[in-house]
């Protein structure tokens, strides 16, 4: 894989909060099962704690081994507030209101087209436009 490949950005359309939680956990689980490093970017400590707790509890029948940290790590699944690729991941889930445009780091970025409120819908549109302008390959699911 060369670094000049365009980044794929996958927007998951969600209308309910429970679907957001499900998508986060399922996407992290998929990359874990493939033994691929995966990052989940959050805006602040409160969000970091929330996602950390989510991955320990969801699904109810198991848990997903992971770490919540802002330090460089070899852990496969990491929840971080730092806008840096701290575990060498090629895939990331961006839960921040701003687009995740870190040069040359990721092959795939997951985002929400968040329809749970007008303000979240607007932030999703801003991120979509930024990725489009950056010439990312965009797909909706």
């Amino acid at each position: 894989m060369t670094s000049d490949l365009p980044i794929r950005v996958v927007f998951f359309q969600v209308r309910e909060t429970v679907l957001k939680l499900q998508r986060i956990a399922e996407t992290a689980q998929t990359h874990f099962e493939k033994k691929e490093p995966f990052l989940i970017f959050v805006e602040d400590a409160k969000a970091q704690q929330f996602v950390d707790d989510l991955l320990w509890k969801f699904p109810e029948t198991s848990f997903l081994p992971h770490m919540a940290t802002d330090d460089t790590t070899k852990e496969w699944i990491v929840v971080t507030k730092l806008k840096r690729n701290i575990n060498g991941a090629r895939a990331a889930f961006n839960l921040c209101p701003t687009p995740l445009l870190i040069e040359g780091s990721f092959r795939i970025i997951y985002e929400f087209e968040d329809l749970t409120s007008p303000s979240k819908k607007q932030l999703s549109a801003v991120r979509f436009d930024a990725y489009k302008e950056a010439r990312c390959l965009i797909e909706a699911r």
Side-chain angles (χ1 to χ4, degrees):
M1 243 190 253
T2 61
S3 62
D4 58 344
L5 287 174
I7 298 168
R8 256 178 65 217
V9 181
V10 176
F11 276 87
F12 293 117
Q13 190 178 79
V14 290
R15 296 178 189 278
E16 300 169 25
T17 301
V18 70
L19 291 176
K20 288 196 282 189
L21 304 179
Q22 200 174 333
R23 282 283 186 218
I24 294 165
E26 287 172 355
T27 304
Q29 181 74 39
T30 297
H31 287 277
F32 181 78
E33 288 170 1
K34 292 179 181 178
K35 296 181 174 26
E36 297 172 345
F38 185 69
L39 278 170
I40 301 172
F41 289 94
V42 294
E43 190 65 12
D44 54 33
K46 185 177 173 185
Q48 189 174 32
Q49 184 64 55
F50 182 86
V51 175
D52 183 35
D53 291 344
L54 170 71
L55 295 179
W56 287 122
K57 297 173 186 166
F58 196 95
E60 290 179 20
T61 56
S62 68
F63 66 90
L64 187 61
H66 68 281
M67 178 181 272
T69 185
D70 295 326
D71 297 324
T72 301
T73 180
K74 298 254 186 247
E75 195 73 30
W76 283 354
I77 309 294
V78 179
V79 183
T80 184
K81 302 181 305 296
L82 199 63
K83 291 270 178 116
R84 239 183 52 229
N85 193 343
I86 61 173
N87 70 341
R90 306 298 278 159
F93 211 126
N94 183 31
L95 300 178
C96 300
T98 55
L100 184 65
L101 295 170
I102 300 172
E103 194 63 40
S105 282
F106 303 106
R107 290 291 113 236
I108 185 165
I109 298 170
Y110 300 96
E111 285 276 357
F112 285 125
E113 179 185 1
D114 193 335
L115 306 176
T116 59
S117 74
S119 62
K120 288 183 178 180
K121 183 178 178 181
Q122 177 59 35
L123 287 171
S124 297
V126 168
R127 289 192 308 276
F128 179 92
D129 290 343
Y131 291 124
K132 190 174 166 186
E133 190 173 306
R135 300 182 191 273
C136 297
L137 296 176
I138 299 172
E139 69 181 78
R141 291 190 193 167

